[in-house]
Amino acid sequence: MKKVYSVCGMCTVRCPIEASVEGGRIAALQGNPHVPAMAGGLCPRGAAGTALLNDGERPQTPLIREGARGEGRWRAVSWDEALDHVADRLKSVMAAHGPRAVALSDRGGPFRDLHRAWLRGLGSPNYVNHDASCARNVQHAHLSLTGLGRKDVAYDFAHSRHVVLQLRNLFEAVDVQEVNRLMGALEKGCRLTVIDIRTSVSATKAHDFFMVRPGSDYAFNLAVIHVLIKEGLYDRGYATRYIKDMPALAAFIAPYTPEWAATETGADADRLRRFVRRLAEAAPAVVWHPGWMAARYRHSFYVCRSIYIINALLGAFGAQGGLPLVNKPADVGRKGLKTFVDLFPAPKEPRADGVGWRYGHFDKGPGLAHLLYKAMETDDPYPVKAYIAYRHDPLMGFPEPERLQRIFDRLDLLVAVTFSWSDTAWYADVVLPLSTYLERESILACKNALKPFFFVRQRSVEPCYDTRADWQIVGGLARRLGLPQLDFDGIDAIWRFQLEGTGVSVEDFDATGMVPLADAPLYRDREKLKFKTPSGKIEIVSELLEKNKIVSLQPYEPLPRPPQGMFRLTFGRCALHTQGHTVNNPLLYEQMPANVLWMNTMAAKALGVADGDRVEVAQNGYKETIKAHVTDGIHPEAVFVVHGFGHTLPVESRAKGKGLADNKFMAGGLDLWDPVGGAIAYQEHFVAISKADNK
């Protein structure tokens, strides 16, 4: 039995795995046993990787569209014809509009360097990822306080004494290592608090659960800061050393008492005070998680920022059991991987989404996808006419899919690189089928951590169909577009290029799939922390924000309540599915074929709806039906669905027609976004609910 160490690709966590291979077939999958926090485990999605591999309903060969977009008429072609076609169309677009007219989006992550380099080599600045629909508000909040990116700190769950989950459903949006570390901490006495609008799986494991009114998280957090300062519960020595503008924060927070917050959130004032006191007792070994999918409201940036301020007041930044700073290779005396993007100069053209020039307070890295789509729609600041969606499905992941289709109709070329069908792939001009993660190698990657390491995704088995690895697709396009720097003779040549000067060889990955760069986790000296702000401290009043005429401390403004007879539409994750990417997976479909609509018991009773009834969901004349899950475990102002359902593609026989697509109930949603954090405001939409014909 051959053991292959690789990286899961069933979601964006990318857990380290071990594939057992016999006779050219996957016999078993498990978490990499050499990673203690994996404990050999995988989440349900990871365990269903073989079902993806063997799924006959995924794209099996390159396809070129023959009919109208979305009509589903395709011509199967060879790889040479497909890549020639894409390259020729790209050349035509660039000849007419320049390289800046080409854009690429992906799902981010550690393996994006090669295709980002390809786009830069063309001369385009227009790379974006999906983060506008996920954690951009978190990133920008952290930058505004510390000058560091959100991934420059770790969540040290294993050593924490109190963990707070808000905007983060850790036990359903599963990172196996985080789950195991937190479970281990809970067994040792760590306290867990969850703040949510419903009783998620995470909430069922909490010592304290606050069910708050949808959209009131900021009010709750302001009251927490009030208690920490008013009662002197914050770390005064740490604040003196590392926090700038404490007087401004104290003055700002004065009116936001727990009694005031109770009127906004529904959380009892005395319970809130007791929670804050327990939190302070555990400091600095506290993790108040800033969230994953924080693209919710137009003020979500300030929710995330308030979370980081609370962590700072408790002294958690840099602390064991808190938010210690991660280490890059240079921090442990090692050289990092060579990057492909450094082979080309940075494009001089401004970004089409306005990030970095029209919006000076945003991080330029992955930009903002919804603003890129706006540029495609308006040709402002210039035309964007070719778009490659690289393992990204904006037609499922963003509001107003019909409007997005009209925007994409303005493109001269839409290419989908994907290992499964998606709404965006179905609407594309060309589908380039990516081999599944079990059939492909990827470029090497580095994980910055307390103990940083390099890791590899290796090919476990040969492709079942006529699909290719990402390095093969990028290399084929690079060859045709005059970018020989990215046209490597095999994956070994790519890996050797990346490892030049690191002192690590390709063979060093054979034993475990990873190469550690330090002997043990390294915590920085908490007495010598340095933040990347002008003052070197955590800055409550941000120079970057204020320079762009944005207030650092935003007074609370309540969100509108749902109109009479309507509910706020909310959505989230479950452990069985990765948004819309896995609902057609044969094994996962069996476990959860459709989503249901969570409704509060009293709200449902008023409408004559019982548990299991079908209900009609409506907004602006658009309607769908779905089965109701009636429960006390959701706030009465909201309804909730698991995201990713409501597929309509004929090539997805299992998922077709199952469940409700939440993004179709977000009229005007592409224009509704957080102006400070940059992310879409997904949960500011209301729907009407009525009992449907249950015959």
Side-chain angles (χ1 to χ4, degrees), residues 217 296 544:
D217 297 87
R296 304 191 184 200
L544 176 63

Side-chain angles (χ1 to χ4, degrees), residues 162 164 191 193 195 208 210 220-234 258 268-283 286 288 310 313-314:
H162 198 146
V164 182
R191 194 170 185 87
T193 298
I195 305 158
D208 280 320
F210 292 91
F220 187 97
N221 295 1
L222 291 177
V224 169
I225 298 172
H226 176 99
V227 175
L228 285 172
I229 293 177
K230 180 75 172 178
E231 298 190 9
L233 299 174
Y234 67 98
D268 180 79
D270 289 335
R271 273 194 70 210
L272 189 148
R273 281 194 176 89
R274 289 195 297 272
F275 155 63
V276 177
R277 290 164 187 162
R278 290 193 190 102
L279 196 64
E281 289 172 0
V286 169
W288 190 315
I310 294 167
L313 290 172
L314 295 168

Side-chain angles (χ1 to χ4, degrees), residues 104-106 108-129 339-342 344-345 347 351 363-367 390 443 474 483 486:
L104 183 147
S105 69
D106 64 16
F111 302 119
R112 67 193 188 279
D113 184 35
L114 190 61
H115 56 255
R116 284 188 65 197
W118 173 83
L119 187 67
R120 179 185 276 203
L122 293 183
S124 173
N126 291 318
Y127 163 76
V128 297
N129 70 18
T339 62
F340 300 102
V341 292
D342 288 340
F344 306 99
R351 295 178 57 93
D363 170 28
K364 288 192 293 186
Y390 204 103
I443 62 175
V474 171
L483 300 174
L486 301 179

